[in-house]
Amino acid sequence: MIDLDNDFLSPDHRQVREQLRRFIAQEIVPEAPAWEEEGAIPAAVFQRMGALGYLGLSLPAEHGGSEMDALGSVVFGEELGRSGFGGFMAAVSDHADIAAPVIRRNGSPEQQAAYLPDIIGGRRIVGLAVTEPRGGSDLTRMQTTARRDGDDWILNGQKTFITNAICGEIFVTVARTDPDARGAAGFSLFIVEKGGRGFSTGKAFKKTGWLSSDMSELFFEDFRVPGRNLLGEEGKGFYLMMQGIEHERLSIGSQCVGMLERGLEITLQHLKAREAYRGVLWDLQAIRHEIARIASEAAAAKLLLYHAAARKSRGEPVRLEAAMVKATLPELLKRAVDVFVQAHGAQGYMRGSEIERLWRDTRPHSLGGGASSVMLDEVAKLL
Ligand SMILES: Cc1cc2nc3c(=O)[nH]c(=O)nc-3n(C[C@H](O)[C@H](O)[C@H](O)COP(=O)(O)OP(=O)(O)OC[C@H]3O[C@@H](n4cnc5c(N)ncnc54)[C@H](O)[C@@H]3O)c2cc1C
């Protein structure tokens, strides 16, 4: 696919890409098939990535991060996606690039000092707990409540489909604090630490893909959270979450680009090597055109992603661009990976083949973080 590094990235960005790609090739890819069987990546992987500085790329330097801009997050997301292991990608990106930035954006200096060093160092794993059985795309239907009791908050409710629910110790959690409020008003954010009376997790979900990231439910039954763990202004939780939503959309778009490039790479290798008729499959125009179309569309979408990240890095608004990225790339990825599987024939349908895993692991991007139709609504609203 097109290489935009020289046009958009600084030497620091490129160095991170090079080092991260080498680290993933040497230390992740050989081990990850075993983690897929086990249903989670080991805690030691977070610690190793933390020690190498990969978990704090967008987080404050005073807590051990490197405060890179939005293009740094693009590099991070792409390289995780290129690993070809969606579970590894999800566990790590949810921790470092989805949940932790909510604490960075909204945490008081004391909260940041209490949590970010361990998160950046990979010593404690964090997740984002928003979705509920009755509140998915329509988050105003969330029913988890938090009521004041002296200095503390008492949480009641249930979260579901939470990545890192089992390996995680800290959850950025949304709950309604004003029972009389309607719609998006009256929600607040909390830093919830796992454990203690009234907190439990469900069984690990058996997912179709992302096998090496764990996922479960969180249950709160009169669970006590200290008052100091309210994150940001009371009653503004929904809006505070939405303020970071562009970061999340670009992060997901970056993972899609990484997966697309990896899928394209292995498909081209296969097509050029697979002998058929009087040559190889790559000689067939019907196949070449399909791949060429995917590659051209992917290049255009990648350019949109980099444009949005560059604007964001300059502090310019990107609400429309980020929604377009999230509306476009996951759908393109789904279509592309289907073509890649077809190009591999039966081999592409076999467990253990990289393209088969990619097929399963690309599916969640158009479901989570705002489903594609929700993104199209957002784009239409902004048009
Ligand atoms: C692998 C994976 C990991 C996840 N990790 C997390 C996590 O860590 N934390 C967390 O909080 N959540 C997580 N989620 C949950 C995810 O955020 C929700 O699945 C998502 O918000 C959609 O909610 P829902 O599944 O309840 O679908 P629903 O809200 O029931 O929607 C179902 C479908 O209806 C359609 N639809 C919805 N709204 C509209 C609309 N306005 N217009 C047209 N069509 C529409 C869409 O096609 C959508 O896919 C994860 C999900 C997956 C699959």
Short mmCIF file of all heavy atoms in Angstrom, two decimals, residues 94 128-133 135-138 160-163 207 210 215 364 366-374 377, ligand 1:
data_model
loop_
_atom_site.label_atom_id
_atom_site.label_comp_id
_atom_site.label_asym_id
_atom_site.label_seq_id
_atom_site.Cartn_x
_atom_site.Cartn_y
_atom_site.Cartn_z
N ASP A 94 -6.48 -1.38 23.98
CA ASP A 94 -7.53 -0.99 24.92
C ASP A 94 -6.90 -0.39 26.18
O ASP A 94 -7.37 0.62 26.71
CB ASP A 94 -8.35 -2.23 25.29
CG ASP A 94 -9.72 -1.85 25.79
OD1 ASP A 94 -10.48 -1.27 25.00
OD2 ASP A 94 -10.02 -2.12 26.97
N LEU A 128 -11.83 -0.23 29.65
CA LEU A 128 -12.89 0.79 29.59
C LEU A 128 -14.23 0.09 29.71
O LEU A 128 -14.55 -0.79 28.89
CB LEU A 128 -12.79 1.54 28.26
CG LEU A 128 -13.77 2.69 28.04
CD1 LEU A 128 -13.46 3.86 28.99
CD2 LEU A 128 -13.69 3.19 26.60
N ALA A 129 -15.02 0.44 30.74
CA ALA A 129 -16.28 -0.27 31.00
C ALA A 129 -17.46 0.65 30.74
O ALA A 129 -17.85 1.42 31.61
CB ALA A 129 -16.29 -0.79 32.43
N VAL A 130 -17.99 0.56 29.53
CA VAL A 130 -19.10 1.43 29.13
C VAL A 130 -20.34 0.60 28.79
O VAL A 130 -21.42 0.80 29.36
CB VAL A 130 -18.69 2.30 27.91
CG1 VAL A 130 -19.84 3.21 27.51
CG2 VAL A 130 -17.44 3.12 28.22
N THR A 131 -20.19 -0.35 27.88
CA THR A 131 -21.34 -1.08 27.33
C THR A 131 -22.09 -1.86 28.41
O THR A 131 -21.49 -2.43 29.32
CB THR A 131 -20.86 -2.06 26.23
OG1 THR A 131 -20.10 -1.32 25.29
CG2 THR A 131 -22.02 -2.73 25.54
N GLU A 132 -23.42 -1.87 28.28
CA GLU A 132 -24.27 -2.63 29.21
C GLU A 132 -25.24 -3.48 28.40
O GLU A 132 -25.44 -3.23 27.20
CB GLU A 132 -25.06 -1.65 30.10
CG GLU A 132 -24.13 -0.79 30.93
CD GLU A 132 -24.87 0.05 31.96
OE1 GLU A 132 -26.12 -0.08 32.06
OE2 GLU A 132 -24.20 0.81 32.66
N PRO A 133 -25.88 -4.45 29.04
CA PRO A 133 -26.81 -5.30 28.28
C PRO A 133 -27.88 -4.47 27.55
O PRO A 133 -28.25 -4.80 26.44
CB PRO A 133 -27.43 -6.19 29.36
CG PRO A 133 -26.38 -6.26 30.42
CD PRO A 133 -25.70 -4.93 30.42
N GLY A 135 -27.54 -1.08 27.02
CA GLY A 135 -26.96 0.17 26.52
C GLY A 135 -25.73 -0.09 25.70
O GLY A 135 -24.63 -0.20 26.24
N GLY A 136 -25.90 -0.26 24.36
CA GLY A 136 -24.77 -0.48 23.46
C GLY A 136 -24.58 0.78 22.61
O GLY A 136 -24.01 1.77 23.08
N SER A 137 -25.11 0.74 21.39
CA SER A 137 -25.00 1.93 20.54
C SER A 137 -25.72 3.12 21.19
O SER A 137 -25.25 4.25 21.12
CB SER A 137 -25.65 1.66 19.17
OG SER A 137 -25.05 0.54 18.58
N ASP A 138 -26.85 2.85 21.81
CA ASP A 138 -27.59 3.92 22.50
C ASP A 138 -27.16 3.95 23.97
O ASP A 138 -27.78 3.34 24.84
CB ASP A 138 -29.10 3.67 22.38
CG ASP A 138 -29.89 4.78 23.05
OD1 ASP A 138 -29.26 5.74 23.54
OD2 ASP A 138 -31.14 4.68 23.08
N THR A 160 -20.92 -5.09 30.18
CA THR A 160 -20.71 -6.32 29.40
C THR A 160 -19.81 -6.08 28.20
O THR A 160 -19.63 -4.93 27.80
CB THR A 160 -22.06 -6.94 28.97
OG1 THR A 160 -21.81 -8.26 28.45
CG2 THR A 160 -22.77 -6.11 27.92
N PHE A 161 -19.26 -7.17 27.66
CA PHE A 161 -18.33 -7.13 26.51
C PHE A 161 -17.09 -6.30 26.84
O PHE A 161 -16.62 -5.54 25.98
CB PHE A 161 -19.01 -6.58 25.25
CG PHE A 161 -20.24 -7.31 24.81
CD1 PHE A 161 -21.43 -6.63 24.55
CD2 PHE A 161 -20.23 -8.68 24.66
CE1 PHE A 161 -22.57 -7.30 24.15
CE2 PHE A 161 -21.37 -9.37 24.26
CZ PHE A 161 -22.54 -8.67 24.01
N ILE A 162 -16.59 -6.41 28.06
CA ILE A 162 -15.47 -5.56 28.46
C ILE A 162 -14.13 -6.25 28.20
O ILE A 162 -13.81 -7.27 28.83
CB ILE A 162 -15.59 -5.14 29.95
CG1 ILE A 162 -16.98 -4.53 30.22
CG2 ILE A 162 -14.47 -4.17 30.33
CD1 ILE A 162 -17.36 -3.37 29.32
N THR A 163 -13.37 -5.69 27.27
CA THR A 163 -12.03 -6.20 26.97
C THR A 163 -11.12 -5.97 28.19
O THR A 163 -11.19 -4.92 28.82
CB THR A 163 -11.47 -5.46 25.73
OG1 THR A 163 -12.35 -5.69 24.64
CG2 THR A 163 -10.07 -5.94 25.36
N LYS A 207 -15.28 -15.78 22.28
CA LYS A 207 -15.44 -14.95 21.10
C LYS A 207 -15.10 -15.74 19.82
O LYS A 207 -14.44 -16.77 19.89
CB LYS A 207 -14.47 -13.75 21.18
CG LYS A 207 -14.77 -12.82 22.34
CD LYS A 207 -13.94 -11.56 22.26
CE LYS A 207 -12.57 -11.55 22.85
NZ LYS A 207 -11.79 -12.69 23.07
N TRP A 210 -10.22 -12.48 17.98
CA TRP A 210 -9.52 -11.78 19.07
C TRP A 210 -9.33 -12.75 20.24
O TRP A 210 -9.59 -12.44 21.40
CB TRP A 210 -10.31 -10.55 19.54
CG TRP A 210 -10.35 -9.39 18.60
CD1 TRP A 210 -9.98 -9.41 17.28
CD2 TRP A 210 -10.75 -8.03 18.89
NE1 TRP A 210 -10.15 -8.15 16.74
CE2 TRP A 210 -10.62 -7.30 17.70
CE3 TRP A 210 -11.21 -7.39 20.03
CZ2 TRP A 210 -10.93 -5.93 17.62
CZ3 TRP A 210 -11.53 -6.04 19.96
CH2 TRP A 210 -11.39 -5.32 18.77
N MET A 215 -12.31 -11.18 27.66
CA MET A 215 -13.49 -10.33 27.68
C MET A 215 -14.50 -10.94 28.63
O MET A 215 -14.71 -12.16 28.64
CB MET A 215 -14.10 -10.24 26.29
CG MET A 215 -15.47 -9.59 26.27
SD MET A 215 -16.25 -9.69 24.67
CE MET A 215 -15.52 -8.31 23.84
N PRO A 364 -14.66 -7.33 14.43
CA PRO A 364 -15.18 -6.45 15.48
C PRO A 364 -15.06 -4.95 15.20
O PRO A 364 -15.77 -4.15 15.80
CB PRO A 364 -14.31 -6.79 16.71
CG PRO A 364 -13.75 -8.14 16.43
CD PRO A 364 -13.58 -8.21 14.94
N SER A 366 -16.08 -3.00 12.94
CA SER A 366 -17.27 -2.28 12.48
C SER A 366 -18.42 -2.40 13.49
O SER A 366 -19.47 -1.80 13.30
CB SER A 366 -17.72 -2.78 11.10
OG SER A 366 -17.97 -4.16 11.15
N LEU A 367 -18.18 -3.18 14.58
CA LEU A 367 -19.22 -3.33 15.62
C LEU A 367 -18.95 -2.40 16.80
O LEU A 367 -19.84 -1.68 17.26
CB LEU A 367 -19.22 -4.77 16.16
CG LEU A 367 -19.60 -5.90 15.23
CD1 LEU A 367 -19.34 -7.23 15.89
CD2 LEU A 367 -21.07 -5.77 14.85
N GLY A 368 -17.71 -2.45 17.31
CA GLY A 368 -17.39 -1.71 18.53
C GLY A 368 -16.93 -0.29 18.23
O GLY A 368 -16.66 0.06 17.08
N GLY A 369 -16.86 0.51 19.29
CA GLY A 369 -16.38 1.89 19.15
C GLY A 369 -17.29 2.73 18.26
O GLY A 369 -16.84 3.69 17.64
N GLY A 370 -18.56 2.36 18.20
CA GLY A 370 -19.52 3.05 17.32
C GLY A 370 -19.67 2.23 16.05
O GLY A 370 -18.75 2.20 15.22
N ALA A 371 -20.80 1.55 15.92
CA ALA A 371 -21.04 0.70 14.74
C ALA A 371 -21.04 1.58 13.47
O ALA A 371 -21.26 2.80 13.54
CB ALA A 371 -22.37 -0.02 14.89
N SER A 372 -20.80 0.93 12.33
CA SER A 372 -20.66 1.69 11.08
C SER A 372 -21.86 2.58 10.79
O SER A 372 -21.71 3.73 10.35
CB SER A 372 -20.45 0.72 9.91
OG SER A 372 -19.29 -0.03 10.12
N SER A 373 -23.06 2.06 11.05
CA SER A 373 -24.25 2.90 10.74
C SER A 373 -24.34 4.11 11.67
O SER A 373 -24.79 5.17 11.27
CB SER A 373 -25.53 2.06 10.80
OG SER A 373 -25.32 0.87 11.48
N VAL A 374 -23.88 3.92 12.92
CA VAL A 374 -23.86 5.05 13.85
C VAL A 374 -22.86 6.10 13.34
O VAL A 374 -23.10 7.31 13.41
CB VAL A 374 -23.48 4.58 15.27
CG1 VAL A 374 -23.35 5.73 16.24
CG2 VAL A 374 -24.50 3.55 15.78
N ASP A 377 -24.40 8.01 10.53
CA ASP A 377 -25.30 9.03 11.10
C ASP A 377 -24.52 10.26 11.50
O ASP A 377 -24.94 11.39 11.27
CB ASP A 377 -25.99 8.48 12.36
CG ASP A 377 -27.30 7.78 12.04
OD1 ASP A 377 -27.76 7.89 10.88
OD2 ASP A 377 -27.85 7.12 12.94
C1 LIG B 1 -14.65 -7.62 20.35
C2 LIG B 1 -15.38 -6.53 21.09
C3 LIG B 1 -14.74 -5.86 22.13
C4 LIG B 1 -15.45 -4.90 22.89
N1 LIG B 1 -14.82 -4.28 23.94
C5 LIG B 1 -15.51 -3.38 24.68
C6 LIG B 1 -14.90 -2.73 25.82
O1 LIG B 1 -13.73 -2.95 26.14
N2 LIG B 1 -15.65 -1.86 26.56
C7 LIG B 1 -16.94 -1.58 26.25
O2 LIG B 1 -17.55 -0.78 26.95
N3 LIG B 1 -17.56 -2.18 25.18
C8 LIG B 1 -16.88 -3.06 24.40
N4 LIG B 1 -17.49 -3.67 23.32
C9 LIG B 1 -18.90 -3.42 23.06
C10 LIG B 1 -19.15 -2.48 21.89
O3 LIG B 1 -18.75 -1.18 22.21
C11 LIG B 1 -20.64 -2.60 21.53
O4 LIG B 1 -20.79 -3.88 20.95
C12 LIG B 1 -21.10 -1.53 20.56
O5 LIG B 1 -21.18 -0.29 21.21
C13 LIG B 1 -22.48 -1.85 19.95
O6 LIG B 1 -23.42 -2.13 20.96
P1 LIG B 1 -24.29 -3.48 20.91
O7 LIG B 1 -23.35 -4.62 20.71
O8 LIG B 1 -25.16 -3.47 22.11
O9 LIG B 1 -25.16 -3.38 19.59
P2 LIG B 1 -26.57 -2.59 19.41
O10 LIG B 1 -26.50 -1.25 20.02
O11 LIG B 1 -27.67 -3.50 19.83
O12 LIG B 1 -26.60 -2.43 17.83
C14 LIG B 1 -26.71 -3.57 16.97
C15 LIG B 1 -26.60 -3.08 15.54
O13 LIG B 1 -27.67 -2.19 15.24
C16 LIG B 1 -27.23 -1.24 14.28
N5 LIG B 1 -27.45 0.13 14.77
C17 LIG B 1 -27.26 0.59 16.04
N6 LIG B 1 -27.51 1.91 16.09
C18 LIG B 1 -27.87 2.29 14.84
C19 LIG B 1 -28.25 3.54 14.25
N7 LIG B 1 -28.26 4.67 14.96
N8 LIG B 1 -28.58 3.54 12.93
C20 LIG B 1 -28.55 2.39 12.20
N9 LIG B 1 -28.18 1.19 12.69
C21 LIG B 1 -27.84 1.15 14.00
C22 LIG B 1 -25.73 -1.49 14.03
O14 LIG B 1 -25.57 -2.27 12.88
C23 LIG B 1 -25.33 -2.28 15.25
O15 LIG B 1 -24.19 -3.11 15.01
C24 LIG B 1 -16.80 -4.61 22.56
C25 LIG B 1 -17.42 -5.28 21.48
C26 LIG B 1 -16.73 -6.22 20.76
C27 LIG B 1 -17.43 -6.94 19.64
#
